[in-house]
């Protein structure tokens, strides 16, 4: 069976990231991707994860503790626009656009801050590094955000990055799709 | 590096097709995909390939002879709409939409016949079989054909098939993209 979009995102990252690397979860949420990244880079690696909701940071922290990977993860209660402050090149950056599942549906990523965060992230991505953006756009601000992110992606210089759009096109209910940006 | 769209199409087919299967090249052209499919299914398999241009059939026949795989390939000088006449279920069907590279650029696939051929092909695809459609749309009739094929794909029942669109979105020059239809 063709894999779902989340599986594809993780496979793209797994193929490119070695133990010991520095990687970023731009949208911590329930910590699913944070945990995935922490296990991938291992104790010698470094994960930096962002969320503006204290609830997300608390839940993720507890979860990482339970899984024994908390030590090499930095959880930041801050906007993902702060990715630009990271001092070193990073190998992978994961975005999940939308709202925190099970949380307050009125708190979503927005077009403006997402665009700034993606641009800041691209500036930190090492050569052959990858950014994955899962676009969940079935919420009120989702269409505007989706359109802005797609427009940005389409405008990126093909001599600098390759942008893949991976989408199942015969789905109902505004199914999520994947954008993956690979630095050359 | 992220693979190009043709490599993705071939990987999807390779993952699903075993030696001895029956498969189809809907758009023979220079025989690139015909040769790929013939090598994949082997002497116990069956490849049926279509083209309406005698030049395509002649060149492909000679090429398959040279490669030692001619025996289990049926080259048909006919429209790919005739896929519907195949008597048995098939595991894979490949389409390349556009014109014959190096040939007469005014002879292209067209929206109407392509749609009929895709529909005929879907009806012959076995469960878990796959159809790959490479959409080269940088020719005069290409935009109309692309729009028609995408509309058809988006309308397919998600309980019957899964339709993947795999596209690099920051490319110049109307770069080709891939549609892959997997039967459930």
């Amino acid at each position: 069976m063709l894999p779902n979009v989340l599986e594809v995102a993780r496979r793209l990252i797994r193929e490119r990231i070695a133990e010991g690397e520095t990687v970023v979860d731009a949208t911590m949420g329930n910590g699913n991707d944070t945990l995935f990244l922490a296990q991938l880079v291992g104790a010698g690696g470094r994960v930096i994860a962002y969320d503006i909701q204290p609830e997300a940071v608390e839940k993720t922290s507890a979860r990482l503790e339970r899984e024994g990977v908390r030590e090499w993860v930095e959880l930041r209660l801050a906007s993902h626009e702060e990715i630009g402050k990271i001092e070193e090149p990073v190998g992978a950056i994961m975005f999940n656009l939308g709202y925190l599942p099970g949380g307050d549906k009125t708190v979503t990523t927005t077009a403006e801050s997402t665009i700034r965060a993606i641009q800041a992230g691209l500036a930190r991505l090492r050569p052959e590094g990858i950014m994955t953006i899962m676009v969940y756009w079935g919420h009120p601000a989702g269409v505007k955000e989706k359109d802005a992110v797609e427009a940005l992606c389409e405008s990126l210089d093909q001599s600098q990055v390759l942008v893949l759009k991976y989408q199942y096109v015969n789905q109902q209910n505004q199914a999520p799709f994947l954008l993956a940006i690979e630095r050359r």
Side-chain angles (χ1 to χ4, degrees), chain A:
Chain A
M1 279 281 296
L2 288 164
N4 70 42
V5 287
L6 175 60
E7 289 166 353
V8 174
R10 291 188 170 187
R11 191 178 68 200
L12 290 174
I13 289 174
R14 219 181 279 117
E15 287 170 354
R16 286 162 181 76
I17 300 300
E19 285 196 13
E21 281 220 61
T22 297
V23 295
V24 172
D25 184 353
T27 49
M28 193 188 309
N30 286 328
N32 293 333
D33 291 334
T34 317
L35 176 59
F36 163 74
L37 291 169
Q39 292 171 332
L40 190 65
V41 299
R46 181 185 183 199
V47 182
I48 307 165
Y50 299 87
D51 209 296
I52 53 168
Q53 300 187 75
E55 181 195 352
V57 176
E58 287 155 25
K59 280 189 176 176
T60 298
S61 181
R63 186 167 176 190
L64 298 176
E65 286 282 3
R66 282 197 304 277
E67 299 285 346
V69 300
R70 178 70 185 81
E71 202 182 326
W72 55 96
V73 181
E74 297 160 41
L75 302 179
R76 301 196 177 164
L77 182 64
S79 164
H80 49 204
E81 294 175 50
E82 304 218 342
I83 291 173
K85 295 183 181 170
I86 299 174
E87 322 71 31
E88 59 186 309
V90 301
I93 303 173
M94 298 185 82
F95 280 85
N96 267 309
L97 306 186
Y99 50 77
L100 175 63
D104 182 350
K105 289 191 170 53
T106 66
V107 180
T108 66
T109 51
T110 64
E112 294 73 19
S113 78
T114 297
I115 293 298
R116 285 193 298 265
I118 291 173
Q119 288 171 325
L122 288 176
R124 304 258 39 86
L125 211 56
R126 68 159 164 79
E128 298 176 57
I130 195 156
M131 177 184 294
T132 60
I133 308 169
M134 294 282 300
V135 186
Y136 296 89
W137 52 292
H139 61 93
V143 175
K144 187 185 165 207
E145 182 179 41
K146 172 179 81 67
D147 290 346
V149 171
E150 288 199 86
L152 171 65
C153 283
E154 289 167 15
S155 76
L156 294 172
D157 182 351
Q158 62 176 312
S159 73
Q160 301 289 316
V161 295
L162 199 53
V163 186
L164 166 65
K165 184 177 179 187
Y166 189 106
Q167 180 174 31
Y168 292 105
V169 295
N170 69 327
Q171 304 293 291
Q172 307 298 319
N173 302 324
Q174 301 168 303
F177 62 88
L178 169 67
L179 291 162
I181 308 177
E182 184 184 54
R183 178 160 292 286
R184 292 181 187 273

